[in-house]
């Protein structure tokens, strides 16, 4: 099995005027393709930071980050966009659907970013699988939180990315909705042989993963 | 690297975004539309006027060719030669008095025409048949008068009027003649038949008489050869002038060009202020859409893709608004027809041209590019990582080195494009420089204001504190208000100052010293009788007569004058065509000599010349230069002896060229004169004309009222135009207010919760406005004063005056309108429903 994500002695520092904050302290780990991993740890330990580094939305201060064996530290903005487009789907805690686009249009956005056009059928089908066939053409403001998050997940999955990064995807949901969400994510990753990295505070969810990475003070324990 | 799929996607996204969030872009749409419309209006009217002049050049000239021989008619023999070429129409134009019993006589431009007139086009008269009546031979001849004479003399059809002692019956009103007569438009104008002219010996013999011959060639082949032939026929006399159709509208075209050039500059100013609004709106649009932009980035869209998408959207708005503005603008000539004097006989036609549209689109494109680049490039500063932290920092205008270079290039292109299109390149460049400097000044002012207030912050009063916070806040109204209202106000003030100075100059400074009557071409034999008659009527009269003859400029130091002086030279009028000259043995007291010396009296066989110093400077003359003048068909060489300072503004008799009396004694001449009296000038004039029917005299107050009438119209037009600029400025400000109401609402809400009452908040807003507007007044007034001073003193050569009343009026009305608009845009702040809104913050 080849590695989907590889961190090698990765550090992340934030410089403020007075001092620098060492958020991640030379961490190394690797996540295989098709592996489902959860990241846990106390608040402020650096979980989100890891997701940001893996998605290329933040740049490591030191060390190397590889996505599908491609080094992404030092890439230009456009190149990072391409890596993201081709390999990664992201699910945020606050859904972040685009407010003036309907559910289907939000999902199509991912396909179109990858130059795949006229695939409305696929998007509708996926949303149908997520139990949203009756909400296809609704704006986000007309959807419940759980529905919004399902659309967000569909948007992340529609491209069949090799990696899904999710930062507390159930953080804004009640337990029933969380359950549905996690089932969807797990089913889908298993079916399409995708690796999943998920930050969570929920122990029961963490336990369902292949592996748990625990972070404390910017270090893996 | 053009990717059609990518383009389709951009097109799709832009369309979708536009249809769903056009409300956010209404400011871009409306300001762009109004300023493009203004531009389109001015371009269309100019285009239509020019093409009207071009298409009707033969009508405007009245023939295929015009020959003017001045005071003396052409010999029969030559007219016979013209007859072989085609139809000839002879006309005589001269100035005379037209009077009615019991009314003061009016100075009239009289045109005597033969029955071939007009060769092209029609005389429009009321009633229709009146134009034929003047040719009907009857005991009493008839005359066509224009509306102005009718009003001045309160005439109706069939009334009798007297011209040079001969009774005429008013046959009707001329509303327009095909060949443009200035006096038909702005003054008093009448037409009689050539037959009555000859039959009653109306010839006054004065030098203001002009014989004109117009020819309509038999067929339109070999026109150039025929023109050449005509030239060769009249070659024997230098003073005979020939005009071709293309030349007829030239002076009119020049006026139109200058005026429309001015309008275009104002329109571009409007566009630039609109640009400030566009920039502001786009930036807040980007900030409002920051999560959407971040999400797109997280999905893998690049910044450049998103920028291109928004840019494409703006382009769609530009195309849409420019097309609509162009199509409305195209019909503006129909409106102009209503506003132009009917006597001009101009009927403008709307014309569509793709080039005309492109012209407007291109200017709009440049302005939109200049103002959207810094806003749209801020997109690259939005970080998708913020989606993980749920916090977004507002981005600001992107002035990277690359952008600054790009913007400079675009500004240069815009300026060059305008300069290239106009005749007055220097003024256009100066205007652009002044405009951009003013913009920078106001930008600096807003920054300084904030710094200044921060430095002196020690307020104890709550209102002051709130006002202070609002001004120094990140989304302060100060910069946008100072720039857009500042420029609008500066423009309005400058233009009103200039127009007002012009009006003042005409209406109060002149009449106090000006004479009441101006006599034109008094026969030398009659002058003595006239003088003693007037002195009988009013013993205290101030009378001044000067001898006068005609001469034309041939060469300067051996070089033909046309090669020395270009058409655009300020003093070209001195050497163009027939010039009236006078003579004197002594220097005139009100014409001080500033260079050279006066001549020895009594030298008969040498010609000495005294020149107006300004003309001499413009024409590059020096003392002792040799000038050849054509006096009565004879070329005479004279020596420039001195330069006089001449002030034409006092309307006393002034000549650009004065020669020595001893030499001039040999010449035939006539007199011009001025009269100033305590008695009513109309009464004196009536008595003079009764006794001396051949005397022509202009009432100065009539000319002044004509000029100020025209100036009044210009003043109104100028004010209206600069008001449009202010309106665009206000739209921009209101949009800025609306953009920040959420932010303001939140602040004001907090104040309310903290127990600050409504009057305090209102007071704070008033304070804030007063501080910004006060600063703005100071700088707008300063810039307007300096620029109007420069224009008035240098370009118009008048003395600049300040008008406090006008200034206060403009400042106050602008302040009230802006403040009321700002309050209205902010009204949601005052509504009691404000509390529930806090949940949405
Ligand atoms: N821009 C920044 N400048 C300085 N410090 C930062 C910045 N961004 C994050 N941090 C710090 O980095 C640390 C790790 O943040 P991170 O968001 O990764 O934590 P987390 O594990 O996701 O916490 P939570 O469970 O609360 O989401 C925190 O202590 C935070 O204060
Ligand atoms: Mg986190």
């Amino acid at each position: 099995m080849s590695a989907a994500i590889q961190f090698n002695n990765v550090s992340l520092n934030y410089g403020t005027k007075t001092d620098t904050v060492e958020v991640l302290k030379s961490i190394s780990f690797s996540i295989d393709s098709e592996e489902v991993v959860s990241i846990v740890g106390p608040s402020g330990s650096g979980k989100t930071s890891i997701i940001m580094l893996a998605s290329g939305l933040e740049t490591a201060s030191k060390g190397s980050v590889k996505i599908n064996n491609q080094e992404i530290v030092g890439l230009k903005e456009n190149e990072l966009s391409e890596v993201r487009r081709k390999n990664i789907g992201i699910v945020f805690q606050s859904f972040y659907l685009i407010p003036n686009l309907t559910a289907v249009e939000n999902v199509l956005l991912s396909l179109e970013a990858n130059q795949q056009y006229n695939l409305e059928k696929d998007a509708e089908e996926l949303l149908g699988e997520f139990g949203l066939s009756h909400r296809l053409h609704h704006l986000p403001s007309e959807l419940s939180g759980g529905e919004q998050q399902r659309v967000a997940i569909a948007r992340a999955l529609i491209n069949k990315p090799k990696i899904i990064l999710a930062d507390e995807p159930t953080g804004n949901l009640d337990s029933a909705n969380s359950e549905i969400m996690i089932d969807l994510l797990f089913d889908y990753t298993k079916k399409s042989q995708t690796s999943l990295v998920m930050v969570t505070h929920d122990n029961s969810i963490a336990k369902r993963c292949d592996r748990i990475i625990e972070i404390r003070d910017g270090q893996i324990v | 690297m053009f990717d059609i799929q990518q383009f389709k996607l951009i097109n799709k996204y832009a369309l979708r975004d536009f249809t769903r969030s056009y409300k956010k872009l209404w400011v871009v749409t409306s300001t762009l539309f109004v300023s493009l419309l203004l531009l389109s209006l001015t371009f269309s009217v100019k285009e239509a006027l020019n093409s009207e002049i071009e298409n009707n050049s033969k009508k405007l000239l009245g023939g295929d060719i015009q020959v003017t021989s001045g005071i003396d008619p052409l010999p029969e023999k030559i007219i016979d030669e013209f007859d072989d070429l085609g139809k000839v129409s002879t006309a005589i134009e001269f100035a005379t008095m037209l009077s009615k019993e019991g009314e003061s006589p009016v100075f009239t431009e009289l045109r005597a025409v033969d029955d071939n007139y007009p060769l092209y086009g029609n005389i429009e008269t009321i009633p229709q048949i009146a134009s034929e009546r003047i040719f009907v031979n009857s005991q009493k001849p008839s005359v066509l008068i224009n509306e102005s004479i009718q009003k001045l003399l309160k005439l109706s059809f069939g009334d009798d009027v007297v011209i040079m002692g001969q009774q005429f019956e008013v046959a009707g009103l001329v509303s327009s003649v095909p060949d443009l007569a200035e006096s038909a438009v702005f003054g008093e104008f009448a037409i009689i038949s050539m037959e009555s002219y000859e039959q009653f010996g109306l010839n006054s013999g004065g030098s203001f008489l002009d014989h004109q011959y117009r020819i309509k060639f038999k067929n339109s082949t070999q026109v150039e050869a025929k023109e050449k032939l005509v030239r060769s026929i009249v070659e024997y006399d230098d003073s005979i002038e020939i005009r071709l159709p293309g030349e007829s509208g030239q002076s009119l075209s020049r006026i139109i060009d200058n005026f429309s050039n001015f309008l275009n500059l104002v329109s571009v100013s409007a566009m630039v202020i609109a640009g400030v609004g566009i920039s502001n709106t786009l930036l807040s649009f980007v900030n409002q859409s920051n999560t959407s932009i971040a999400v797109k980035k997280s999905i893998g869209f690049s910044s450049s893709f998103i920028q291109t998408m928004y840019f494409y959207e703006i382009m769609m708005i530009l195309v849409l608004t420019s097309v609509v503005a162009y199509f409305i603008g195209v019909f503006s000539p129909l409106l102009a027809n209503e506003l132009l004097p009917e006597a001009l006989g101009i009927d403008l036609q709307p014309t569509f041209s793709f080039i005309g549209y492109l012209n407007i689109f291109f200017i709009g494109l440049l302005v939109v590019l200049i103002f959207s680049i810094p806003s749209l490039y801020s997109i690259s500063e939005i970080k998708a990582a913020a989606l993980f932290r749920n916090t977004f920092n507002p981005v600001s205008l992107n002035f990277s080195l690359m952008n600054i270079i790009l913007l400079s290039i675009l500004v240069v292109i815009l300026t060059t494009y305008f300069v290239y299109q106009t005749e007055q390149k220097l003024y256009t460049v100066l205007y652009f420089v002044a405009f951009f400097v003013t913009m920078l000044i106001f930008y600096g002012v807003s920054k300084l204001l904030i710094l200044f207030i921060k430095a002196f912050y020690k307020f104890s009063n709550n209102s002051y504190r709130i006002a202070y916070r609002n001004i120094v806040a990140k989304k302060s109204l100060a910069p946008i208000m100072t720039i857009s209202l500042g420029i609008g106000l500066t423009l309005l003030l400058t233009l009103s100052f200039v127009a007002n100075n012009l009006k003042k100059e005409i209406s109060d400074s002149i009449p106090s010293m000006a004479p009441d009557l101006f006599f034109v071409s008094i026969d030398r034999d009659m002058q003595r009788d006239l003088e003693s008659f007037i002195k009988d009527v009013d013993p205290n009269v101030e009378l001044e007569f000067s001898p006068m003859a005609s001469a034309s400029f041939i060469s300067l130091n051996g070089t033909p004058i046309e090669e020395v002086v270009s058409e655009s030279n300020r003093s070209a009028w001195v050497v163009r065509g027939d010039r009236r000259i006078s003579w004197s043995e002594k220097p005139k007291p009100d014409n001080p000599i500033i260079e050279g010396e006066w001549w020895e009296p009594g030298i008969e066989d040498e010609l000495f010349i005294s020149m107006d110093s300004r003309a001499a400077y413009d024409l590059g003359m020096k003392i002792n230069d040799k000038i050849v003048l054509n006096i009565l068909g004879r070329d005479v060489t004279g020596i420039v002896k001195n330069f006089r300072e001449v002030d034409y503004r006092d309307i006393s008799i002034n000549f650009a060229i004065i020669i020595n009396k001893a030499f001039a004694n040999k010449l035939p001449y006539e007199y011009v004169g001025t009269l100033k009296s305590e008695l009513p000038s109309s009464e004196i004039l009536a008595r003079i004309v009764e006794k001396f029917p051949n005397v022509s005299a202009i009432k100065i107050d009539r000319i002044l009222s004509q000029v100020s009438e025209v100036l009044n119209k210009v003043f109104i037009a100028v004010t209206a135009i600069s008001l449009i600029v202010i309106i665009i400025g206000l739209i921009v400000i209101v949009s800025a207010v609306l953009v920040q109401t959420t932010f303001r609402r939140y602040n004001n809400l907090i104040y309310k919760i903290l127990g600050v009452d409504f009057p305090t908040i209102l007071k704070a807003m008033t304070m804030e406005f007063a501080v910004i507007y006060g600063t703005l007044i100071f700088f707008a007034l300063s810039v307007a004063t300096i620029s109007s001073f420069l224009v008035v003193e240098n370009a118009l050569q008048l003395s600049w005056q300040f008008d406090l009343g006008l200034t206060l009026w403009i400042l106050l009305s602008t302040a009230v309108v802006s403040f009321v608009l700002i309050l209205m845009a902010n009204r949601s702040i005052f509504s009691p429903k404000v509390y529930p809104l806090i949940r949405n913050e």
Side-chain angles (χ1 to χ4, degrees):
Chain A
M1 263 203 259
S2 66
I5 304 175
Q6 253 180 311
F7 274 47
N8 247 323
N9 300 320
V10 173
S11 296
L12 178 65
N13 302 328
Y14 284 118
T16 58
K17 270 174 201 158
T18 44
D19 60 341
T20 51
V21 184
E22 246 190 318
V23 175
L24 295 177
K25 298 163 191 163
S26 191
I27 58 169
S28 304
F29 66 88
S30 130
I31 289 165
D32 292 336
S33 53
E34 297 180 40
E35 198 179 6
V36 174
V37 175
S38 71
I39 301 179
V40 297
S43 176
S45 54
K47 305 182 291 295
T48 299
S49 303
I50 289 177
I51 299 284
M52 284 163 71
L53 286 171
S55 64
L57 291 172
E58 187 67 86
T59 311
S61 314
K62 249 185 265 160
S64 123
V65 177
K66 284 186 182 159
I67 299 296
N68 280 332
N69 296 320
Q70 183 188 359
E71 177 63 59
I72 63 164
V73 177
L75 290 188
K76 294 203 190 76
E77 201 213 294
N78 278 353
E79 295 163 333
L80 283 171
S81 291
E82 193 180 329
V83 172
R84 205 153 49 233
R85 215 160 49 220
K86 298 213 163 122
N87 302 294
I88 299 171
I90 308 173
V91 181
F92 302 99
Q93 178 177 358
S94 318
F95 328 141
Y96 284 123
L97 298 179
I98 293 183
N100 63 4
L101 300 187
T102 63
V104 173
E105 286 167 347
N106 265 288
V107 174
L108 278 173
L109 215 53
S110 290
L111 287 171
E112 288 163 346
N114 259 320
Q115 277 111 45
Q116 291 176 290
Y117 310 106
N118 307 320
L119 292 172
E120 229 143 298
K121 277 259 161 54
D122 295 30
E124 284 171 12
E125 204 172 298
L126 184 61
L127 283 171
E129 279 176 39
F130 285 11
L132 288 169
S133 44
H134 58 305
R135 292 281 182 269
L136 296 177
H137 302 293
H138 285 239
L139 290 174
S141 57
E142 299 158 352
L143 300 176
S144 76
E147 287 167 337
Q148 284 186 44
Q149 190 62 307
R150 272 179 276 164
V151 176
I153 292 175
R155 182 177 67 190
L157 296 179
I158 188 84
N159 264 333
K160 307 195 171 62
K162 295 180 192 77
I163 303 163
I164 291 175
L165 303 172
D167 190 4
E168 299 183 43
T170 58
N172 279 355
L173 300 175
D174 59 45
S175 54
N177 262 315
S178 302
E179 199 79 6
I180 300 171
M181 202 73 45
I182 296 303
D183 287 347
L184 277 176
L185 266 178
F186 275 58
D187 284 359
Y188 195 88
T189 43
K190 283 272 130 63
K191 207 166 65 190
S192 59
Q193 299 157 346
T194 305
S195 32
L196 168 68
V197 181
M198 178 168 56
V199 174
T200 181
H201 279 130
D202 189 328
N203 266 332
S204 62
I205 295 175
K207 274 180 194 146
R208 289 177 59 183
C209 298
D210 299 342
R211 181 152 63 106
I212 298 176
I213 297 178
E214 196 181 340
I215 306 281
R216 213 172 284 265
D217 287 334
Q219 282 170 316
I220 297 176
V221 290
Chain B
M1 254 199 13
F2 183 77
D3 181 342
I4 185 75
Q5 293 291 352
Q6 194 88 347
F7 174 77
K8 272 189 180 163
L9 193 61
I10 286 177
N11 179 52
K12 177 175 142 191
Y13 283 4
L15 268 174
R16 191 163 69 188
D17 198 62
F18 180 63
T19 48
R20 290 181 195 175
S21 53
Y22 61 92
K23 276 189 195 137
K24 287 185 193 159
L25 293 172
W26 72 271
V27 179
V28 178
T29 316
S30 63
T31 54
L32 204 52
F33 174 72
V34 175
S35 51
L36 283 169
L37 183 63
L38 191 61
L39 199 62
S40 163
L41 290 177
T42 57
F43 273 127
S44 295
V45 172
K46 178 187 166 181
E47 205 109 300
L49 268 169
N50 281 338
S51 79
E52 167 85 7
I53 290 173
E54 208 162 290
N55 294 336
N56 296 314
S57 58
K58 287 182 182 172
K59 260 208 235 167
L60 289 173
L61 185 69
D64 292 325
I65 192 165
Q66 180 190 337
V67 179
T68 312
S69 65
I71 307 167
D72 299 313
L74 291 175
E76 273 311 311
K77 195 187 85 207
I78 286 182
I79 297 173
D80 288 345
E81 280 180 74
F82 287 170
D83 274 329
D84 294 340
L85 290 168
K87 204 165 164 188
V88 181
S89 165
T90 310
I92 298 172
E93 264 187 20
F94 60 107
T96 186
M97 303 309 287
L98 196 149
S99 49
K100 177 196 170 188
E101 192 118 6
E103 301 282 346
S104 170
V106 292
F107 182 82
T108 302
E109 169 106 19
L110 189 66
R111 185 183 283 182
V113 296
D114 62 10
D115 50 9
N116 280 342
Y117 177 86
L119 292 173
Y120 285 101
N122 296 306
I123 316 182
E124 301 288 341
T125 56
I126 307 165
Q128 197 88 61
I129 55 151
S131 61
E132 287 156 35
R133 290 254 305 276
I134 58 168
F135 298 112
V136 175
N137 209 346
S138 66
Q139 216 41 41
K140 195 190 277 174
S142 39
V143 60
L144 295 170
I145 57 173
N146 75 344
E147 203 184 336
S148 172
I149 298 181
Q150 189 213 8
K151 279 195 182 138
L152 286 171
L153 294 182
K154 304 182 188 73
L155 288 166
S156 37
F157 304 147
D159 281 359
D160 282 348
V161 292
V162 178
I163 302 168
M164 294 179 144
Q166 169 64 39
Q167 285 211 335
F168 279 81
E169 183 184 322
V170 175
L173 278 184
V174 213
S175 43
S176 77
V177 287
D179 42 350
L180 266 187
E182 259 175 58
S183 53
V185 182
F186 299 111
E188 287 71 46
F189 174 73
I191 299 181
I192 58 171
S193 72
M194 187 62 85
E195 223 165 300
S196 4
Y197 172 82
E198 280 161 2
Q199 188 182 343
F200 303 108
L202 296 189
N203 189 354
S204 66
S207 69
F208 285 86
L209 193 87
D210 211 17
H211 283 85
Q212 301 165 347
Y213 305 86
R214 296 182 173 87
I215 310 172
K216 184 180 187 175
F217 297 135
K218 271 185 194 130
N219 43 50
S220 50
T221 55
Q222 292 182 302
V223 173
E224 269 176 46
K226 289 171 186 162
E227 285 169 4
K228 256 202 184 134
L229 189 57
V230 172
R231 267 184 213 286
S232 68
I233 293 174
V234 297
E235 213 171 27
Y236 69 95
D237 188 345
D238 275 353
S239 65
I240 294 177
E241 277 176 43
I242 288 182
R243 292 222 293 172
L244 298 174
E247 300 159 354
S248 59
Q250 266 176 1
S251 63
L252 189 65
S253 302
R254 206 172 304 133
I255 294 173
I256 293 168
D257 274 350
N258 289 345
F259 194 63
S260 68
N261 183 31
F262 160 76
L263 287 183
N264 287 340
L265 289 178
V266 174
S267 315
V268 174
S269 314
M271 288 218 65
V272 171
I273 296 180
V276 173
I278 291 172
S279 167
N280 191 47
T281 317
L282 285 183
L283 186 65
S284 67
F285 185 68
V286 167
N287 275 322
Q288 278 171 26
S289 318
N290 54 10
T291 51
S292 300
I293 293 169
V295 168
K296 284 185 186 139
K297 285 191 179 183
S298 77
I299 289 172
F301 286 106
S302 64
S303 291
S304 60
F305 177 90
I306 302 169
Q307 276 159 14
T308 315
M309 199 267 313
Y310 282 116
F311 192 71
Y312 185 86
E313 201 173 327
I314 310 290
M315 283 301 111
M316 288 194 322
I317 298 178
L318 175 65
V319 170
L320 207 79
T321 49
S322 61
V323 167
V324 177
Y326 179 73
F327 275 86
I328 297 179
V330 155
F331 288 102
S332 61
L334 298 179
L335 179 73
N337 279 340
E338 298 298 313
L339 298 176
L340 286 170
E342 196 198 355
L344 270 177
I346 281 181
D347 180 29
L348 302 181
Q349 298 302 326
T351 41
F352 291 89
S353 82
F354 190 59
I355 299 285
Y357 170 72
L358 282 186
N359 196 7
I360 287 164
F361 177 79
F362 184 61
I363 294 169
L365 178 68
L366 285 175
V367 173
V368 165
L369 277 176
I370 291 171
F371 285 96
S372 61
I373 284 175
S375 303
L376 290 186
Y377 270 87
S378 70
I379 286 175
S380 61
E381 276 150 36
I382 291 181
K383 296 271 171 280
L387 293 170
F388 289 106
R389 308 255 188 246
N390 293 329
T391 51
F392 284 90
N393 287 326
V395 290
S396 50
L397 296 178
N398 184 322
F399 284 114
S400 62
L401 187 65
M402 247 290 284
N403 279 350
I404 290 177
I405 293 171
L406 197 61
L407 292 182
S408 314
I409 293 173
L410 289 170
V411 168
V412 169
I413 294 178
L414 181 67
T415 315
T416 319
Y417 186 69
F418 255 83
V419 171
Y420 169 75
Q421 290 204 342
T422 116
E423 293 287 309
Q424 293 174 318
K425 310 214 180 311
L426 182 66
Y427 282 116
T428 310
V429 171
L430 283 179
Y431 181 90
F432 270 99
V433 170
F435 188 86
F436 284 114
V437 167
T438 310
M439 224 167 125
L440 276 181
I441 288 178
F442 280 109
Y443 183 73
V445 165
S446 69
K447 295 279 160 211
L448 273 181
L449 175 69
I450 291 173
L451 276 182
F452 187 79
I453 290 185
K454 269 186 180 165
F456 288 89
Y457 169 50
K458 275 193 226 76
F459 306 115
S460 51
N461 181 303
N462 261 342
S463 297
Y464 293 162
R465 242 181 229 198
I466 296 173
Y468 160 80
R469 287 231 173 80
N470 281 342
I471 292 178
V472 301
K474 222 186 167 99
K475 281 185 176 177
S476 166
L477 202 57
I480 196 97
M481 189 163 145
T482 28
I483 293 178
S484 48
L485 196 55
I487 290 178
L489 199 58
T490 308
L491 204 64
L492 182 65
L493 284 171
T494 309
L495 294 178
S496 332
F497 283 178
V498 171
N500 196 50
N501 267 294
L502 257 176
K503 263 175 69 181
K504 267 236 178 69
E505 184 68 32
I506 304 291
S507 62
D508 32 273
S509 67
I510 295 172
S512 58
M513 51 195 194
D516 301 321
L517 290 178
F518 197 101
F519 293 104
V520 189
S521 74
I522 306 294
D523 203 71
R524 61 198 281 193
D525 305 324
M526 190 204 292
Q527 188 260 341
R528 249 162 230 254
D529 296 343
L530 180 66
E531 193 166 344
S532 58
F533 175 77
I534 294 173
K535 286 200 166 134
D536 279 346
V537 174
D538 175 13
N540 297 323
V541 75
E542 285 172 41
L543 264 182
E544 190 190 342
F545 285 100
S546 301
M548 185 193 76
S550 269
S552 54
F553 227 99
I554 303 297
S555 67
L556 174 61
N557 292 330
T559 320
I561 197 67
E562 302 84 55
E563 289 169 28
V564 184
V565 183
S566 76
E567 269 295 300
S568 59
N569 192 307
R570 184 172 57 167
S571 292
W573 60 274
V574 177
V575 296
R576 208 190 290 130
D578 258 5
R579 186 102 316 269
R580 270 110 204 165
I581 60 170
S582 187
W583 46 89
S584 161
E585 211 59 287
K586 286 172 291 171
K588 294 179 81 180
D590 54 348
N591 277 190
I593 292 175
I594 57 171
E595 207 183 323
E597 270 161 32
W598 202 255
W599 43 72
E600 284 287 310
I603 300 174
E604 279 177 35
D605 46 1
E606 265 188 271
L607 173 63
F608 300 134
I609 295 169
S610 168
M611 285 295 299
D612 165 6
S613 60
R614 175 134 75 104
Y617 171 79
D618 290 344
L619 305 175
M621 287 181 188
K622 282 177 289 299
I623 300 294
N624 288 331
D625 273 359
K626 288 199 166 60
I627 293 177
V628 176
L629 293 178
N630 182 300
I631 304 175
L632 294 160
R634 201 163 63 90
D635 285 357
V636 194
T637 306
I639 296 169
V640 177
K641 281 289 181 191
N642 58 63
F643 298 150
R644 282 164 298 124
E645 193 175 323
V646 183
D647 186 3
Y648 294 95
R649 280 182 295 162
D650 62 12
I651 319 193
S652 64
I653 303 175
N654 277 307
F655 292 93
I657 304 170
I658 291 180
I659 61 172
N660 52 325
K661 188 171 176 207
F663 181 87
N665 272 339
K666 297 178 272 187
L667 303 173
Y669 63 91
E670 57 187 8
Y671 283 97
V672 287
T674 57
L675 173 154
K676 193 169 170 56
S677 163
E678 297 291 309
L679 300 177
S681 57
S682 38
E683 193 187 311
I684 298 186
L685 186 60
R687 293 181 62 178
I688 294 173
V689 171
E690 202 181 0
K691 183 83 193 291
F692 301 92
N694 283 358
V695 165
S696 307
I698 303 169
K699 277 167 74 181
I700 301 295
D701 59 357
R702 172 73 191 128
I703 297 205
L704 293 177
S705 73
Q706 274 170 14
V707 173
S708 57
E709 223 170 89
V710 172
L711 278 180
N712 256 332
K713 280 183 188 151
V714 172
F715 186 72
I716 291 171
V718 164
T719 316
I721 291 156
S722 38
L723 268 182
I724 295 182
V725 178
I726 290 257
I727 288 171
I728 292 180
L730 287 176
I731 296 181
V732 168
I733 291 170
V734 167
S735 76
V737 172
L738 289 178
V739 160
Q740 47 166 277
T741 35
T742 21
F743 151 83
R744 289 255 166 147
R745 198 154 54 200
Y746 189 75
N747 280 4
N748 286 321
L749 188 57
I750 302 287
Y751 296 140
K752 272 192 191 173
I753 292 168
L754 293 177
V756 181
D757 57 354
F758 173 78
T760 313
I761 293 179
L762 185 63
K763 212 170 126 195
M765 285 189 64
T766 319
M767 284 288 310
E768 181 194 355
F769 180 79
V771 168
I772 300 177
Y773 195 76
T775 323
L776 198 148
I777 284 179
F778 176 74
F779 285 93
L781 255 182
S782 313
V783 176
T785 303
I786 294 171
S787 48
S788 66
F789 181 86
L790 291 177
V791 171
V792 169
E793 296 269 335
N794 293 322
L796 300 175
Q797 305 259 333
L798 303 174
S799 59
W800 186 87
Q801 276 176 298
F802 183 71
D803 185 331
L804 188 67
L806 176 78
T807 313
L808 285 180
W809 199 89
I810 292 176
L811 291 179
L812 203 72
S813 49
T814 317
V816 169
V817 173
S818 332
F819 189 54
V820 167
L821 272 175
I822 288 177
L823 284 184
M824 273 164 59
N826 262 319
R827 68 187 181 283
S828 60
I829 290 174
F830 305 117
S831 95
K833 282 197 202 126
V834 83
Y835 289 94
L837 288 169
I838 199 163
R839 269 191 266 129
N840 299 332
E841 294 297 328

